[in-house]
Amino acid sequence: MTARAADRARYDRATAHLDAPLAIVDLDAFDANADDLVRRAGGKPIRVASKSVRCRALLERVLDKDGFTGVMAFTLAESLWLARSGFDDILLAYPSADRASYAELAADPKLAAAVTVMVDDPAQLRLIDEARDGGREVIRVCLELDTSLKLFGGRVRVGARRSPLHSPAQVADMARAVARRPGFKVVGIMAYEGHIAGVGDSVAGQPLRSRAVRLMQATARRELAERRGAVVRAVRAVVPDLEFVNGGGTGSVQHTAAEDAVTEIGAGSGLYVPRLFDNYTSFSGRPAALFALPVVRRPGVGVVTVLGGGYPASGAAGPDRLPVPHLPEGLRYDPQEGPGEVQTPLLGSPADDLLLGDKVWFRHAKAGELCERFDVLHLVEGDAVTATVPTYRGEGHTFL
């Protein structure tokens, strides 16, 4: 029996009393992945990205482990909810225009102490001030550095279009703008190198592309390490008591942690290890989050149909954004249909061994987005479900 076949047998036994569709997290794999992230971070703390987990119970589980400190949230409303739930160190990784939540933040000492907001433009400070509604609490601010690699005088850009702050001088000017404005305090810098941390460098069947990605990433790492160090020096000249410098992501943990300027790493997808993280030479993990769909039809030889399955991930549209049938091994989509809104035909010889009601196990493309489809996660240890916990959706929250 292969390792994957053994996993299928465990998952089927663990969930035999449950009807699909359902989602699980294999805690043995989850914990092993967490340990590997800590190992790669080399002693620097990891701030867990909540968008990649979207389950309070699992956020609490990983934060109980040595090597993890703090949450990186994705909306301001989520940040306030987590703070009220007992999380006391939350970095909002994206700017917000949520005026109502800013008013709550500015009026509550506990929330203001727990939550740090992201800015990269003086206009965002004005928006926050206009939203205060009388609240006088000092707002903790993090400045975001654009990490993109610019070549040929800026005519070629590699990396996400995020912050407009690219140079040390621009980030230092923003720090001065915050320092001049009463009611705000710069406490950190964040720089997420998505073109390094979030792009696989070993794409099956594409050796030339994989080599080009590795070359680009090596160049980008060198450029960013030098520029990030200069940015931190420039900002510390304005804000000597800077608390943290956050960088990295699951695919670049060890590289980012090696930079002296970086004090903490952001990561989250490496806990679940969705399918987009199969194509990396820098690390390998164990798939920990899966979902199961039930067989509901047998249209013919070598074909079964499962209920649901059309769960595409965000990003540029393409086959890599789709879930993949994982267990039993050997199933594939019908190229004329793909995964469907309410049903998905699957082709392959393993289909002939599947009966109505049997489960087919899938891996999603991007980590936490799976939790937008399911109210609960069944936590599996060995061959048993040991707990069932709500996702954000199960707690009544769909923040985006």
Side-chain angles (χ1 to χ4, degrees):
M1 181 181 291
T2 66
R4 281 174 61 176
D7 283 340
R8 181 193 176 199
R10 285 197 302 115
Y11 300 152
D12 282 347
R13 286 195 299 270
T15 62
H17 62 296
L18 299 171
D19 288 331
L22 58 82
I24 66 166
V25 170
D26 182 335
L27 290 182
D28 295 333
F30 181 90
D31 290 343
N33 292 335
D35 292 343
D36 188 61
L37 286 170
V38 171
R39 178 191 61 79
R40 291 199 287 137
K44 291 189 176 177
I46 299 171
R47 185 180 293 274
V48 60
S50 65
K51 80 176 184 68
S52 300
V53 179
R54 304 194 200 199
C55 171
R56 278 200 302 161
L58 291 175
L59 288 174
E60 291 167 353
R61 183 183 183 91
V62 75
L63 287 171
D64 281 343
K65 296 179 177 293
D66 292 339
F68 288 86
T69 304
V71 173
M72 179 182 288
F74 59 95
T75 75
L76 184 53
E78 177 211 13
S79 301
L80 301 187
W81 176 63
L82 290 175
R84 291 192 175 101
S85 301
F87 297 84
D88 60 5
D89 180 7
I90 302 158
L91 170 62
L92 174 59
Y94 307 88
S96 176
D98 184 345
R99 292 175 173 81
S101 292
Y102 277 131
E104 292 181 53
L105 182 66
D108 189 316
K110 178 184 175 183
L111 297 179
V115 176
T116 300
V117 304
M118 192 65 61
V119 301
D120 55 34
D121 187 322
Q124 294 159 351
L125 302 177
R126 293 194 293 273
L127 184 150
I128 295 170
D129 268 340
E130 292 167 0
R132 282 179 179 269
D133 194 28
R136 297 179 179 274
E137 295 300 320
V138 172
I139 304 299
R140 292 166 53 85
V141 165
C142 180
L143 309 178
E144 181 167 4
L145 167 67
D146 169 40
T147 65
S148 63
L149 175 64
K150 296 184 178 182
L151 303 170
F152 306 109
R155 292 190 295 276
V156 175
R157 172 197 179 103
V158 181
R161 297 181 182 275
R162 292 175 62 114
S163 170
L165 308 177
H166 189 81
S167 70
Q170 288 174 317
V171 186
D173 285 346
M174 187 68 208
R176 281 187 281 270
V178 177
R180 289 194 297 266
R181 199 171 187 102
F184 295 90
K185 180 183 179 182
V186 174
V187 298
I189 298 171
M190 189 189 87
Y192 172 59
E193 51 267 44
H195 52 303
I196 303 171
V199 177
D201 63 349
S202 181
V203 182
Q206 300 186 44
L208 294 180
R209 177 184 174 187
S210 298
R211 184 176 178 182
V213 169
R214 287 194 289 273
L215 178 62
M216 175 276 291
Q217 291 180 339
T219 303
R221 282 197 300 268
R222 290 192 296 270
E223 185 276 337
L224 179 59
E226 180 178 344
R227 181 159 52 92
R228 181 155 39 198
V231 165
V232 172
R233 291 191 294 274
V235 172
R236 286 194 186 279
V238 180
V239 187
D241 58 343
L242 198 67
E243 295 178 16
F244 65 87
V245 177
N246 181 282
T250 288
S252 69
V253 170
Q254 64 269 40
H255 301 297
T256 307
E259 295 182 33
D260 291 338
V262 174
T263 66
E264 65 175 42
I265 307 299
S269 295
L271 297 168
Y272 288 166
V273 187
R275 64 165 295 206
L276 279 179
F277 285 87
D278 288 347
N279 302 320
Y280 285 75
T281 58
S282 60
F283 83 106
S284 61
R286 293 171 55 185
L290 303 96
F291 66 94
L293 301 177
V295 173
V296 292
R297 284 177 170 162
R298 293 171 51 86
V301 175
V303 187
V304 291
T305 302
V306 295
L307 186 69
Y311 305 160
S314 60
D320 65 338
R321 301 291 145 168
L322 300 178
V324 291
H326 183 58
L327 302 170
E329 298 179 66
L331 292 173
R332 65 188 186 277
Y333 292 127
D334 181 334
Q336 297 185 44
E337 295 194 49
E341 179 185 7
V342 291
Q343 69 167 35
T344 297
L346 298 171
L347 312 180
S349 58
D352 293 330
D353 296 323
L354 292 169
L355 304 177
L356 295 183
D358 283 353
K359 296 180 176 78
V360 175
W361 296 90
F362 291 76
R363 293 177 65 203
H364 197 54
K366 292 189 71 175
E369 294 184 19
L370 174 65
C371 293
E372 298 301 327
R373 300 286 181 171
F374 294 92
D375 292 340
V376 299
L377 297 172
H378 301 286
L379 307 185
V380 173
E381 295 182 78
D383 60 359
V385 171
T386 56
T388 297
V389 296
T391 61
Y392 280 13
R393 169 178 162 163
E395 296 201 68
H397 295 288
T398 52
F399 292 107
L400 279 179

